[in-house]
Amino acid sequence: MSASLSLVAPQAPAQWTEDDIKALHREQPQAAMEMVVRKFRGRLFYHASCITKDSQEAYDVVQEVFIRAMRERRFYDAEFRQKAWLYRVTSNLCFNLVRNRKRRGAILETVPRKERDEGDQLDRVFRGEQREEILAAIDQMTDAHKEILLLRYYDDLSYAEIAAVLDVKLGTVMSRLSRARRRLVDVLEPIRAD
Amino acid sequence: MQLDCDEVESRMAAWIDAELSPGEAELFAQHLERCPDCALMTRRMEAQVFPPIAVVDTAVPGFWDAMDEGLAMAGSSALRGTLRSAQDSPQPGGVAATAPGLLRRNLRLPGVAAFLYAALLVLAVGLAAVQSVRAANADAARLAMEQSLERQQRLSATASLDVSVEPVGLVAQGPFRGSL
Ligand SMILES: [Zn+2]
């Protein structure tokens, strides 16, 4: 019993389409899962880092995402949108994490200052004034606006891919992105005028 | 047909990102020519830049090792669930062969490949065990399955040592080509 090896060889997981991976899964399920991990982990880590602003938390989130992918029975189904699913789960886990952290932050206000400083390393992965400015602006936005800006301008997803990630219509992607950028104009221009 | 200001405003990002259809882009451009307000707002949005955010370097050797290990451990417990449900409702056909000799092979895969490899071994052994349950001896099969799980865990724990090997190539050369 020998399987076709035509799909197996590439050194660049990025070039593999979801259909390639699904085809590989029929022949070699273990290689398919590994391909998924290698293809997406860097991008998902970046996405998670942008939301959580903490590399360790982002790392843990991405690992959890892949564990969930391994347990998702539909993951290699013909109609299953792997990339959209992976980004959606990553976003959801990250936003939950950030919300919980904010809740914890409210409690931490009563904790002695020294302890708080040691625990607070949120921004250590980010550098550069301009970056901080735009990140600060994006941070002021709602989760929905923050997420769609990251997906488009940091993860480089197409509008169609974003629609799949957010499970909304293309028109909604257009209007939500426009509103988010309009909001950025409102937030950033007064800062730059100073 | 024309676009009004609201319709234009909701398409500004798509216009800048060149995601409008040619027809809509034409209507959008026509609106900008006769509406200074929308033209100005479009220009302000166009001036926005999104500089890359510096995230820790994932190209550092060994960066993903911890995740590989984590996935290997999670993989073994996920597999227990798979095996349990397989035992509840055995699939017709099942897996061709158990290959106990393969467990003694000197595996040097990166973690993820190692656990997937090990997972497949256990699945093969486990499903074969299911078939022997149907055949005759339930207790012996359960024992065999538990032993194979233990072996698989030892395998996962020791298999992420050599990260310099290309995992896909190794899998391709592995003995499990097309066995599932
Ligand atoms: Zn107008």
Side-chain angles (χ1 to χ4, degrees):
Chain A
M1 185 167 22
S2 92
S4 151
L5 293 182
S6 60
L7 285 169
V8 181
Q11 306 296 307
Q15 288 165 9
W16 279 60
T17 67
E18 291 189 14
D19 285 343
D20 292 340
I21 291 173
K22 287 168 184 174
L24 177 63
H25 180 257
R26 288 192 288 274
E27 303 278 346
Q28 303 182 47
Q30 78 280 33
M33 188 66 221
E34 187 188 321
M35 189 56 74
V36 169
V37 170
R38 289 184 354 131
K39 179 178 172 69
F40 289 108
R41 62 187 178 186
R43 304 298 306 175
L44 293 177
F45 176 75
Y46 186 77
H47 183 70
S49 298
C50 290
I51 301 176
T52 64
K53 292 192 235 61
D54 182 288
S55 58
Q56 186 57 55
E57 286 185 340
Y59 197 94
D60 294 344
V61 163
V62 173
Q63 176 171 313
E64 174 65 20
V65 169
F66 287 129
I67 289 171
R68 292 185 183 202
M70 286 188 277
R71 293 172 182 168
E72 172 57 65
R73 288 172 190 280
R74 302 165 300 161
F75 198 78
Y76 298 98
D77 287 358
E79 301 306 313
F80 197 82
R81 290 193 270 213
Q82 297 175 339
K83 184 180 187 180
W85 186 94
L86 290 166
Y87 272 102
R88 183 158 62 231
V89 175
T90 304
S91 278
N92 290 345
L93 289 174
C94 287
F95 282 121
N96 284 342
L97 209 94
V98 171
R99 270 191 290 273
N100 288 339
R101 195 161 67 200
K102 275 182 189 149
R103 234 171 276 141
R104 276 203 314 278
I107 296 164
L108 280 175
E109 296 298 4
T110 61
V111 171
R113 184 171 173 76
K114 182 172 176 291
E115 222 175 297
R116 199 164 70 218
D117 285 347
E118 282 172 358
D120 183 15
Q121 303 185 335
L122 298 189
D123 288 324
R124 70 200 146 111
V125 296
F126 298 91
R127 296 177 189 89
E129 258 178 51
Q130 197 185 16
R131 284 166 182 153
E132 272 169 23
E133 184 183 281
I134 193 153
L135 258 187
I138 291 175
D139 250 356
Q140 292 177 39
M141 311 187 103
T142 63
D143 286 355
H145 282 178
K146 197 186 299 180
E147 179 177 28
I148 202 166
L149 287 171
L150 291 176
L151 289 170
R152 179 65 192 94
Y153 301 109
Y154 289 89
D155 303 322
D156 206 25
L157 267 57
S158 72
Y159 280 36
E161 288 175 325
I162 295 170
V165 172
L166 302 178
D167 198 20
V168 297
K169 295 198 174 93
L170 204 60
T172 306
V173 174
M174 291 186 183
S175 56
R176 191 178 295 173
L177 256 182
S178 296
R179 274 199 300 276
R181 291 190 68 158
R182 172 65 202 263
R183 178 96 189 93
L184 264 187
V185 167
D186 294 342
V187 173
L188 283 175
E189 284 188 358
I191 296 174
R192 296 211 169 109
D194 284 348
Chain B
M1 191 192 147
Q2 294 188 349
L3 296 177
D4 64 27
C5 287
D6 283 345
E7 290 167 330
V8 162
E9 206 165 304
S10 70
R11 286 165 173 77
M12 281 180 185
W15 160 263
I16 295 165
D17 293 335
E19 289 262 1
L20 286 181
S21 68
E24 286 214 320
E26 177 65 27
L27 293 173
F28 189 99
Q30 286 170 7
H31 183 96
L32 291 198
E33 277 172 25
R34 63 176 185 272
C35 178
D37 288 349
C38 285
L40 177 62
M41 183 51 70
T42 302
R43 278 203 300 279
R44 290 159 94 181
M45 276 192 200
E46 271 176 319
Q48 292 173 345
V49 286
F50 297 91
I53 297 170
V55 173
V56 292
D57 184 6
T58 60
V60 172
F63 184 84
W64 299 109
D65 287 1
M67 187 176 295
D68 287 349
E69 264 170 56
L71 291 177
M73 284 185 338
S76 56
S77 59
L79 202 74
R80 283 175 200 273
T82 308
L83 286 173
R84 253 197 301 277
S85 58
Q87 197 170 23
D88 292 339
S89 55
Q91 296 294 309
V95 164
T98 60
L102 295 170
L103 289 168
R104 293 192 294 273
R105 286 175 77 98
N106 186 18
L107 288 181
R108 286 176 179 275
L109 305 180
V112 173
F115 108 75
L116 290 166
Y117 193 103
L120 197 68
L121 289 176
V122 175
L123 196 63
V125 173
L127 288 177
V130 169
Q131 290 177 332
S132 14
V133 169
R134 268 189 288 174
N137 195 331
D139 287 332
R142 208 169 296 124
L143 186 66
M145 197 146 65
E146 278 165 10
Q147 286 170 343
S148 77
L149 277 171
E150 280 172 28
R151 281 196 298 270
Q152 181 261 336
Q153 279 170 338
R154 283 203 299 275
L155 194 61
S156 294
T158 56
S160 58
L161 299 173
D162 184 357
V163 292
S164 66
V165 182
E166 273 302 313
V168 174
L170 266 187
V171 169
Q173 291 150 23
F176 270 91
R177 282 173 295 175
S179 65
L180 270 186

